[in-house]
PDB file of all heavy atoms in Angstrom:
ATOM      1  N   TRP K  22      88.803  57.261  24.287  1.00 98.00           N
ATOM      2  CA  TRP K  22      87.366  57.120  24.519  1.00 98.00           C
ATOM      3  C   TRP K  22      86.938  55.661  24.585  1.00 98.00           C
ATOM      4  O   TRP K  22      85.975  55.332  25.284  1.00 98.00           O
ATOM      5  CB  TRP K  22      86.568  57.928  23.494  1.00 98.00           C
ATOM      6  CG  TRP K  22      86.617  59.390  23.844  1.00 98.00           C
ATOM      7  CD1 TRP K  22      87.350  60.360  23.241  1.00 98.00           C
ATOM      8  CD2 TRP K  22      85.922  60.019  24.924  1.00 98.00           C
ATOM      9  NE1 TRP K  22      87.152  61.571  23.879  1.00 98.00           N
ATOM     10  CE2 TRP K  22      86.281  61.388  24.912  1.00 98.00           C
ATOM     11  CE3 TRP K  22      85.039  59.568  25.897  1.00 98.00           C
ATOM     12  CZ2 TRP K  22      85.773  62.297  25.837  1.00 98.00           C
ATOM     13  CZ3 TRP K  22      84.533  60.475  26.817  1.00 98.00           C
ATOM     14  CH2 TRP K  22      84.907  61.817  26.779  1.00 98.00           C
ATOM     15  N   VAL K  25      87.549  54.936  28.179  1.00 97.00           N
ATOM     16  CA  VAL K  25      86.583  55.637  29.036  1.00 97.00           C
ATOM     17  C   VAL K  25      85.240  54.921  29.023  1.00 97.00           C
ATOM     18  O   VAL K  25      84.632  54.683  30.070  1.00 97.00           O
ATOM     19  CB  VAL K  25      86.407  57.104  28.585  1.00 97.00           C
ATOM     20  CG1 VAL K  25      85.260  57.782  29.341  1.00 97.00           C
ATOM     21  CG2 VAL K  25      87.705  57.894  28.768  1.00 97.00           C
ATOM     22  N   LEU K  26      84.749  54.590  27.828  1.00 97.00           N
ATOM     23  CA  LEU K  26      83.377  54.104  27.657  1.00 97.00           C
ATOM     24  C   LEU K  26      83.246  52.596  27.467  1.00 97.00           C
ATOM     25  O   LEU K  26      82.135  52.100  27.314  1.00 97.00           O
ATOM     26  CB  LEU K  26      82.741  54.807  26.452  1.00 97.00           C
ATOM     27  CG  LEU K  26      82.668  56.331  26.549  1.00 97.00           C
ATOM     28  CD1 LEU K  26      82.236  56.914  25.215  1.00 97.00           C
ATOM     29  CD2 LEU K  26      81.739  56.754  27.678  1.00 97.00           C
ATOM     30  N   LEU K  76      80.188  65.777  25.959  1.00 95.00           N
ATOM     31  CA  LEU K  76      79.671  64.521  26.474  1.00 95.00           C
ATOM     32  C   LEU K  76      79.605  64.582  27.993  1.00 95.00           C
ATOM     33  O   LEU K  76      80.438  65.213  28.641  1.00 95.00           O
ATOM     34  CB  LEU K  76      80.581  63.359  26.070  1.00 95.00           C
ATOM     35  CG  LEU K  76      80.779  63.104  24.586  1.00 95.00           C
ATOM     36  CD1 LEU K  76      81.725  61.923  24.379  1.00 95.00           C
ATOM     37  CD2 LEU K  76      79.459  62.853  23.897  1.00 95.00           C
ATOM     38  N   ASP K  77      78.614  63.911  28.562  1.00 95.00           N
ATOM     39  CA  ASP K  77      78.513  63.682  29.995  1.00 95.00           C
ATOM     40  C   ASP K  77      78.677  62.187  30.214  1.00 95.00           C
ATOM     41  O   ASP K  77      78.042  61.385  29.518  1.00 95.00           O
ATOM     42  CB  ASP K  77      77.140  64.096  30.531  1.00 95.00           C
ATOM     43  CG  ASP K  77      76.930  65.599  30.560  1.00 95.00           C
ATOM     44  OD1 ASP K  77      77.916  66.350  30.454  1.00 95.00           O
ATOM     45  OD2 ASP K  77      75.767  66.023  30.686  1.00 95.00           O
ATOM     46  N   VAL K  78      79.519  61.807  31.158  1.00 96.00           N
ATOM     47  CA  VAL K  78      79.699  60.395  31.478  1.00 96.00           C
ATOM     48  C   VAL K  78      79.413  60.184  32.961  1.00 96.00           C
ATOM     49  O   VAL K  78      79.642  61.076  33.785  1.00 96.00           O
ATOM     50  CB  VAL K  78      81.113  59.888  31.113  1.00 96.00           C
ATOM     51  CG1 VAL K  78      81.364  60.042  29.621  1.00 96.00           C
ATOM     52  CG2 VAL K  78      82.199  60.596  31.903  1.00 96.00           C
ATOM     53  N   SER K  79      78.894  59.005  33.290  1.00 95.00           N
ATOM     54  CA  SER K  79      78.591  58.648  34.677  1.00 95.00           C
ATOM     55  C   SER K  79      79.271  57.329  35.010  1.00 95.00           C
ATOM     56  O   SER K  79      79.046  56.333  34.319  1.00 95.00           O
ATOM     57  CB  SER K  79      77.079  58.500  34.869  1.00 95.00           C
ATOM     58  OG  SER K  79      76.417  59.712  34.637  1.00 95.00           O
ATOM     59  N   PRO K  80      80.094  57.308  36.057  1.00 95.00           N
ATOM     60  CA  PRO K  80      80.722  56.043  36.465  1.00 95.00           C
ATOM     61  C   PRO K  80      79.640  55.026  36.836  1.00 95.00           C
ATOM     62  O   PRO K  80      78.606  55.393  37.384  1.00 95.00           O
ATOM     63  CB  PRO K  80      81.538  56.426  37.699  1.00 95.00           C
ATOM     64  CG  PRO K  80      81.614  57.912  37.712  1.00 95.00           C
ATOM     65  CD  PRO K  80      80.452  58.418  36.932  1.00 95.00           C
ATOM     66  N   LEU K  92      90.459  58.549  34.814  1.00 98.00           N
ATOM     67  CA  LEU K  92      90.503  59.310  33.565  1.00 98.00           C
ATOM     68  C   LEU K  92      91.765  60.159  33.468  1.00 98.00           C
ATOM     69  O   LEU K  92      92.343  60.296  32.391  1.00 98.00           O
ATOM     70  CB  LEU K  92      89.243  60.168  33.416  1.00 98.00           C
ATOM     71  CG  LEU K  92      87.927  59.374  33.352  1.00 98.00           C
ATOM     72  CD1 LEU K  92      86.739  60.308  33.321  1.00 98.00           C
ATOM     73  CD2 LEU K  92      87.921  58.405  32.201  1.00 98.00           C
ATOM     74  N   PHE K 121      84.472  67.510  28.659  1.00 95.00           N
ATOM     75  CA  PHE K 121      83.395  66.573  28.975  1.00 95.00           C
ATOM     76  C   PHE K 121      83.175  66.619  30.470  1.00 95.00           C
ATOM     77  O   PHE K 121      84.011  67.119  31.221  1.00 95.00           O
ATOM     78  CB  PHE K 121      83.707  65.155  28.473  1.00 95.00           C
ATOM     79  CG  PHE K 121      84.858  64.470  29.154  1.00 95.00           C
ATOM     80  CD1 PHE K 121      84.649  63.567  30.187  1.00 95.00           C
ATOM     81  CD2 PHE K 121      86.167  64.702  28.745  1.00 95.00           C
ATOM     82  CE1 PHE K 121      85.709  62.918  30.801  1.00 95.00           C
ATOM     83  CE2 PHE K 121      87.236  64.058  29.352  1.00 95.00           C
ATOM     84  CZ  PHE K 121      87.012  63.163  30.384  1.00 95.00           C
ATOM     85  N   ASP K 122      82.019  66.141  30.925  1.00 95.00           N
ATOM     86  CA  ASP K 122      81.689  66.175  32.341  1.00 95.00           C
ATOM     87  C   ASP K 122      81.592  64.768  32.898  1.00 95.00           C
ATOM     88  O   ASP K 122      81.048  63.865  32.264  1.00 95.00           O
ATOM     89  CB  ASP K 122      80.338  66.867  32.565  1.00 95.00           C
ATOM     90  CG  ASP K 122      80.361  68.346  32.195  1.00 95.00           C
ATOM     91  OD1 ASP K 122      81.451  68.937  32.172  1.00 95.00           O
ATOM     92  OD2 ASP K 122      79.277  68.898  31.928  1.00 95.00           O
ATOM     93  N   VAL K 123      82.106  64.603  34.113  1.00 96.00           N
ATOM     94  CA  VAL K 123      81.916  63.367  34.857  1.00 96.00           C
ATOM     95  C   VAL K 123      80.835  63.674  35.891  1.00 96.00           C
ATOM     96  O   VAL K 123      81.032  64.518  36.774  1.00 96.00           O
ATOM     97  CB  VAL K 123      83.216  62.894  35.541  1.00 96.00           C
ATOM     98  CG1 VAL K 123      82.964  61.593  36.305  1.00 96.00           C
ATOM     99  CG2 VAL K 123      84.328  62.715  34.516  1.00 96.00           C
ATOM    100  N   LEU K 124      79.699  63.002  35.753  1.00 94.00           N
ATOM    101  CA  LEU K 124      78.567  63.221  36.646  1.00 94.00           C
ATOM    102  C   LEU K 124      78.665  62.296  37.845  1.00 94.00           C
ATOM    103  O   LEU K 124      79.629  61.554  37.995  1.00 94.00           O
ATOM    104  CB  LEU K 124      77.263  62.982  35.880  1.00 94.00           C
ATOM    105  CG  LEU K 124      77.092  63.764  34.578  1.00 94.00           C
ATOM    106  CD1 LEU K 124      75.730  63.477  33.964  1.00 94.00           C
ATOM    107  CD2 LEU K 124      77.293  65.248  34.773  1.00 94.00           C
TER     108      LEU K 124
END
Side-chain angles (χ1 to χ4, degrees):
W22 284 105
V25 172
L26 300 171
L76 300 179
D77 289 344
V78 299
S79 297
L92 298 175
F121 67 98
D122 294 338
V123 180
L124 307 183

